[in-house]
Every structure is written in structure tokens, then in C-alpha cells.
Amino acid sequence: MSRYILSRLVLAVVMALLATLVIFLLANTVPGDPVLAQLGDLAASNKEFVAEWRAKWGLDLPLWQRYVIFLQQLFHGDLGISISSQRPVLQDIRDFAPATLELASIAFVLSLVVGIPLGIMAAVRRDSWIDHLARLISLIGVSSPTFWLAFIMLALFYGGLQIAPGPGRIDAIALPPTSVTGLYLIDSALAGDWDTFRDAAAHLVLPSIVLAAATLGLITRTTRASMLESMQQDYVRVARAKGIRERRIVIGHILPNALIPVVTLGGLAYANLLTGAVLTETIFSWPGLGRYTFRSAVTLDFPAIMGITLIVAVVYLVINLLIDISYALLDPRVVR
């Protein structure tokens, strides 16, 4: 097991180094001039000012030299200074990440809590009403565009029925809890401020449902398909021939084998929720990494773009590493 984990760790480090090169080249070779995006037409017409600005941000250096500087800063835990905010990129990410982490985690838990039991029941009671209901929910979740679903949810539950709060993490007139983790639910609970806790929880409902919709559909469909495949295996027929109760067969024999593809999908889905919430955060005015990434891309803030992209790559690498380890725990034959 230790050799298996060590090989995966080495592979993850190599992939991280390759990712730095790809990220740097993509961020520094995209069409567009950061001078015009940051300074505007009037300031960009002053050649001396533009030359000074390029020298300040290292844009006058050769590409290879800029990459070496990027790596040197990276090994010291420095992602550079954001051109837009004039603050360290790492500090910006620390400020924006908790909002995304809180939203993505709630959406992921919602996907698992609803998707896995629904997929199991749909497989066990194949072609029944609950199977048809699971197919309908999966179809709606997978096929509905995020921006469309978000506007429908806001129009129906906030604008029409008025039973859900508006955009944002808490009400505009409310004060955020004292920051400990940056996660409003945890910080308000630690402070014993239950009014803010309920306010933050209510504001999470609509965006988490919108963000979880596609993932919930995929997890439900994958769980159902994997369960049906496992139910046709010989060891299940043997268990039934021995007279073992059906519930025990499902929980003890079918489900552990059916969960392997769900673990793979779940890990990648969580990474996707963490890094792909741009539309959801923009529509719900959620101050997370998605909005920060969008703003950085619009203004060609290349240090911020490289920093956030590198964080995204590391998230995917770590989650893939955890998936590989979970494979070995679920099926020890993988390490042989």
C-alpha cells in the first residue's frame, strides 16, 4: 500500500510541475494587451508611462526569464501581486475561497445525500414510479443550463413566491460573523449567533441547488447503472440462492462494489463544483473564487489568472490522489 501511495505522490508532483508550464504559457500568450486592459486608452498613449508599467510587472523581460521568476516565487509560496487589487494573489484567494468552499461543499453534500439513495432505490425498484422519478430528476439536472436554472429559481422563489432570500451570502442589512474560518455557517455557530446562522443557511439554499443540479443527475444515473450491473453478478445470485435477505444483499454485497465508479465521479464532481461556479456565483452575487476569476480574466490580470489556475490544478491533483487511495481501500486488488 505504501509503495502504491508513494508512486501516486511522485506522479502528482510531476504533473504539478508540468501544470505550471502550461498555465504560464496560456496566461502569457492569450490575445489582448494587459496595458490597454489595465491603463485604458489615455494612459496607454503615454509611451514612457507604458514602458515604466511594463518594467514594473516584468512584461519587458523574455518569456523564459519570466517563467523562471514565476517558479522561484512559487517555491517560496508567492503567487505574485494582483495587478487589479495591488495585493498578493494568495491573500486574494484566501479572502475569496471560503465563500466558494462553503457553497461547493453544501452543493456536494446535497448531491450525495439525494443522488446515491435515489440511484439505489431506482435500481432496486427498476421500472417503478421511483425509477421514473429518478430519471426525470437526472434529466432535468443534467440538461438544464446553469444560468437558466438560476434565473428560474430566483424568479420563482425570490421574486414570485417570496419564500427565499435574494442574492448574496447574508442579507444586505446584516453584519457578517467574526471571521475565524471565513465560512459563515461555522463562524456564526462558533459565535453563538444563530440569527446569522439561519440567515446564511437560507441564502445557501437556492445557489447550492442550482450548483448541485448537474452533479446530482450524474451521481443518480451512475449509481443506478452501477447497481444494476452489480445485481447481475454471480455472487449476488449465490447470495440469493443461500436465502440471504434482500436488504442485506444490497447493503453488504451489491453497494460496496457499485460505489467504486461513484467515488471516481464524486471526487471529480467536487473539484468541478469548487472550480466551476463562475455562473452561479455571478448570478447570485456570491463573493467567491468564480467571480474573482471572471474579474481577473476580463482585466487580463495575468498574475491572478496564473495563481487561481494553479490552485485549480492542485485541487484536481489532490482529489485524484485521494480517489486513487480510496480505490485501494475499496478494492485491495488495485495495489497488486
Side-chain angles (χ1 to χ4, degrees):
M1 175 69 82
S2 57
R3 180 179 296 179
Y4 174 80
I5 295 175
L6 182 61
S7 66
R8 291 299 184 275
L9 276 172
V10 172
L11 183 62
V13 172
V14 173
M15 293 297 293
L17 288 174
L18 290 175
T20 60
L21 178 60
V22 174
I23 290 167
F24 178 82
L25 291 177
L26 287 176
N28 285 274
T29 57
V30 294
D33 189 351
V35 175
L36 285 175
Q38 293 292 328
L39 301 181
D41 292 338
L42 184 60
S45 62
N46 187 327
K47 293 183 179 179
E48 293 181 357
F49 186 71
V50 169
E52 184 180 347
W53 192 86
R54 286 185 179 278
K56 176 183 178 183
W57 295 104
L59 295 176
D60 56 341
L61 298 174
L63 200 61
W64 68 268
Q65 194 171 348
R66 288 157 58 188
Y67 178 62
V68 171
I69 294 174
F70 173 64
L71 284 183
Q72 288 174 342
Q73 291 178 334
L74 197 59
F75 286 132
H76 289 87
D78 183 5
L79 294 178
I81 303 296
S82 168
I83 298 176
S84 299
S85 67
Q86 300 288 316
R87 299 197 315 160
V89 173
L90 197 57
Q91 184 61 47
D92 280 348
I93 292 175
R94 283 175 184 163
D95 290 344
F96 284 96
T100 297
L101 182 62
E102 188 172 52
L103 176 60
S105 299
I106 295 296
F108 183 62
V109 170
L110 181 64
S111 302
L112 293 182
V113 168
V114 178
I116 292 179
L118 192 59
I120 294 172
M121 287 188 289
V124 173
R125 300 181 182 180
R126 189 177 184 180
D127 293 330
S128 66
W129 67 269
I130 197 165
D131 189 17
H132 298 310
L133 178 64
R135 290 180 186 178
L136 179 64
I137 292 175
S138 300
L139 182 64
I140 293 174
V142 172
S143 60
S144 299
T146 300
F147 69 91
W148 177 84
L149 187 59
F151 281 124
I152 291 295
M153 297 286 280
L154 275 174
L156 180 62
F157 295 105
Y158 172 59
L161 299 176
Q162 298 184 351
I163 57 175
R169 295 186 75 183
I170 54 175
D171 288 338
I173 59 173
L175 294 175
T178 303
S179 181
V180 178
T181 64
L183 309 175
Y184 281 7
L185 290 181
I186 294 178
D187 289 349
S188 56
L190 291 175
D193 186 355
W194 299 111
D195 289 336
T196 304
F197 181 87
R198 285 189 289 271
D199 189 16
H203 279 78
L204 274 166
V205 173
L206 292 186
S208 61
I209 291 175
V210 170
L211 191 59
T215 306
L216 191 153
L218 289 174
I219 288 178
T220 302
R221 292 172 64 173
T222 304
T223 304
R224 178 184 180 277
S226 186
M227 286 286 294
L228 289 174
E229 183 180 351
S230 297
M231 290 167 71
Q232 303 302 319
Q233 300 301 315
D234 289 339
Y235 64 85
V236 177
R237 296 192 186 95
V238 171
R240 284 176 177 151
K242 289 182 177 178
I244 301 176
R245 295 177 61 184
E246 188 66 21
R247 177 175 296 183
R248 187 177 172 185
I249 294 174
V250 171
I251 296 175
H253 297 273
I254 299 174
L255 189 57
N257 292 287
L259 279 181
I260 292 178
V262 179
V263 168
T264 305
L265 176 65
L268 295 176
Y270 187 54
N272 191 42
L273 290 173
L274 282 172
T275 59
V278 176
L279 283 176
T280 305
E281 290 185 357
T282 302
I283 294 171
F284 285 95
S285 298
W286 201 264
L289 287 176
R291 291 184 68 191
Y292 180 68
T293 305
F294 174 75
R295 190 183 67 189
S296 302
V298 169
T299 58
L300 293 180
D301 186 353
F302 60 90
I305 294 172
M306 289 192 294
I308 195 67
T309 311
L310 185 62
I311 294 295
V312 169
V314 170
V315 167
Y316 272 97
L317 287 172
V318 170
I319 288 181
N320 273 296
L321 178 64
L322 295 177
I323 290 173
D324 287 343
I325 295 174
S326 64
Y327 275 166
L329 295 175
L330 286 172
D331 187 358
R333 292 174 298 179
V334 173
V335 301
R336 294 173 187 167

